[in-house]
Amino acid sequence: MAWKEPSDAERRLREQLAEHGLSVSWAKIRRWREFGALPWRKQQGVGRGSGSTSGLLPETFVVAEALALATVKKRPLEQAVLHVFTTHSRFGEVFVATSVPLPERAVRRALAWYIVRDDSQPCAVIEKAVESSGGCPDRAMDAALESAHRYFRKLYRQANHRRHRAGTTVSDAPWNLADADGLATFSVATVLGFEEFGADAIVEAVSKSFPELADGYGEQVFAELRKAAREVEREVEGDGESPFFRRPHWPSVQDRVQTMERVEYSTICTVRDVLAVLVEAAPALALARRTGVEDPDVRHVEAVRASNQRTDEYLKRAEAISCHPAARAWKEFTGLLLDVCTAPRRLSTFQQDVTALDPALDDVPGLGRRVLASGACACPAQGSHPHRHGRARPSRAPEPLRRS
């Protein structure tokens, strides 16, 4: 179906973008509007049979400019929306928090798009493999097992590489290859149903994850677990319900989409703003740790992360995000945002976990200046670049976002 000719407002917006050196077709502007990505004044009748008119809002150009910058290279509109929602498009190499007033409809559609395509969650990977099997149960099982084993073995190799390179561990990664295989079986059972495997197979998968229990005591433990599981399995055949065969904590793709839909948009934006503060503070905090800078705010942050595993995880992931240019940072930032917002328990403790850092990150630019000055005095002759693992701050950093 052919589109109507551009409206006066669409023409004006295109002209405004051109004045700022951005060449955008009116067809692209129309697609942005239909996706819900542009703030737009509702149509209003002009009276006396003259039809209706629609006009630009003060924030329309701000959003259109950001989308134009984010779509210089061809990419899905959903990706561009998430880029604009998480990072400021004007900074190509440095992560700077966004201030673009994107409409809620576009953000929610983009987040749902990301969840469906996210390959960082094991159940999502397995579900995609099952969908590609053409509906054949045997092929579905084979595809699910193959994708799960590939996923967890890759996760193990990445974690092992990180451990050898930096001496750090990843708490949710497989401990070894046997653990990876056990997790693969368990996760496939999560997606296809535990009844597809039976009690013996599930207990066997669990035992693979605990090679340290391969002694006589371990054999006794798993024998008792296998016996209990078989009894439960017989009960399930009678009434069809048992905690042993209920879905564990890994949510499906649809579960995550539905959970995200229930989160208030204001909450999503608040979590986004707080995570942005952590990312912007990450280079200064990392430099302080490497150079041994003594600063009361740095000491407070380190004390909090030592006492709260979740806060420590947020700060570690924020540091990893800060090492990427803005054009790539949006993806890991979106993943972290969704990990918080689609996990009800994590979301319920998020405010407590991050406000424990107050007031250390109330002035991120000031913290950065102090750390740079102290670090320069502490190691003037080392010759290492202060941002070897991160990105330099812009000379005119924006005001830090405040947590509500």
Side-chain angles (χ1 to χ4, degrees):
M1 183 177 67
W3 284 353
K4 296 180 180 179
E5 287 297 309
S7 66
D8 290 340
E10 288 170 338
R11 287 194 182 97
R12 289 200 307 274
L13 180 58
R14 185 184 180 190
E15 291 170 359
Q16 291 176 9
L17 291 169
E19 291 172 0
H20 287 74
L22 297 170
S23 177
V24 180
S25 68
W26 72 266
K28 180 179 281 190
I29 292 174
R30 179 69 58 83
R31 285 195 295 271
W32 294 349
R33 284 190 62 190
E34 293 186 344
F35 188 80
L38 286 179
W40 210 262
R41 194 186 305 279
K42 293 183 179 180
Q43 288 188 344
Q44 297 176 335
V46 297
R48 298 185 180 180
S50 300
S52 62
T53 183
S54 61
L56 306 179
L57 293 168
E59 61 268 28
T60 304
F61 173 77
V62 175
V63 176
E65 180 189 36
L67 288 172
L69 291 168
T71 54
V72 170
K73 296 181 180 179
K74 285 189 176 181
R75 60 177 63 182
L77 179 54
E78 293 89 349
Q79 179 179 332
V81 167
L82 292 175
H83 184 180
V84 173
F85 184 65
T86 55
T87 68
H88 202 298
S89 303
R90 274 294 181 192
F91 297 89
E93 289 298 317
V94 182
F95 179 95
V96 176
T98 187
S99 58
V100 178
L102 278 164
E104 175 181 351
R105 177 190 173 197
V107 174
R108 287 193 179 278
R109 290 181 67 176
L111 288 171
W113 171 87
Y114 184 93
I115 292 172
V116 171
R117 288 158 181 78
D118 182 16
D119 289 332
S120 66
Q121 299 291 327
C123 286
V125 173
I126 296 168
E127 286 180 9
K128 291 177 186 177
V130 171
E131 290 173 1
S132 66
S133 65
C136 173
D138 290 339
R139 288 180 59 189
M141 177 63 76
D142 291 342
L145 286 169
E146 181 182 354
S147 63
H149 282 285
R150 185 168 57 246
Y151 174 90
F152 282 104
R153 284 175 174 259
K154 179 180 178 181
L155 189 63
Y156 165 72
R157 289 194 299 269
Q158 291 174 339
N160 200 40
H161 175 69
R162 235 177 301 175
R163 178 174 61 83
H164 285 298
R165 184 183 64 182
T168 59
T169 58
V170 182
S171 58
D172 57 350
W175 302 335
N176 47 46
L177 287 175
D179 187 27
D181 291 341
L183 287 171
T185 300
F186 198 80
S187 60
V188 171
T190 300
V191 174
L192 298 183
F194 281 26
E195 65 278 2
E196 295 293 328
F197 284 81
D200 286 346
I202 299 302
V203 174
E204 180 67 21
V206 173
S207 67
K208 288 182 179 180
S209 294
F210 294 92
E212 66 274 15
L213 294 180
D215 53 12
Y217 172 75
E219 291 179 3
Q220 181 180 354
V221 169
F222 289 116
E224 292 295 328
L225 180 60
R226 191 173 287 106
K227 178 181 178 182
R230 287 171 180 167
E231 292 177 357
V232 170
E233 192 173 24
R234 286 193 292 270
E235 293 175 4
V236 171
E237 293 176 355
D239 58 25
E241 180 64 26
S242 169
F244 184 81
F245 290 100
R246 288 177 188 163
R247 179 185 296 275
H249 68 279
W250 282 333
S252 68
V253 171
Q254 192 57 35
D255 289 339
R256 298 186 81 212
V257 171
Q258 292 176 351
T259 300
M260 198 66 187
E261 289 174 350
R262 291 192 293 268
V263 180
E264 293 286 341
Y265 186 61
S266 59
T267 300
I268 296 173
C269 292
T270 297
V271 173
R272 184 271 314 271
D273 293 347
V274 172
L275 293 177
V277 173
L278 301 187
V279 175
E280 291 191 332
L285 295 174
L287 178 61
R289 288 199 306 277
R290 290 196 299 272
T291 57
V293 168
E294 286 294 326
D295 182 273
D297 287 338
V298 173
R299 287 198 300 270
H300 177 69
V301 170
E302 293 302 320
V304 172
R305 67 189 304 173
S307 63
N308 189 315
Q309 186 176 0
R310 289 186 300 270
T311 306
D312 182 52
E313 178 193 349
Y314 298 144
L315 290 167
K316 285 180 179 177
R317 293 180 67 176
E319 182 176 344
I321 293 169
S322 73
C323 294
H324 293 303
R328 290 175 51 200
W330 71 270
K331 187 172 184 179
E332 290 193 34
F333 192 106
T334 301
L336 177 55
L337 173 69
L338 287 170
D339 285 350
V340 174
C341 291
T342 60
R345 289 185 179 180
R346 183 182 287 252
L347 183 59
S348 68
T349 62
F350 182 74
Q351 182 176 3
Q352 177 182 348
D353 294 336
V354 295
T355 54
L357 297 169
D358 290 340
L361 303 183
D362 283 352
D363 180 13
V364 172
L367 174 64
R369 287 191 294 269
R370 294 198 309 274
V371 170
L372 281 172
S374 300
C377 294
C379 51
Q382 290 183 4
S384 60
H385 196 282
H387 297 288
R388 182 167 55 90
H389 297 287
R391 301 280 173 176
R393 297 288 88 188
S395 57
R396 295 181 62 187
E399 288 297 315
L401 292 168
R402 308 285 293 196
R403 292 180 295 280
S404 59

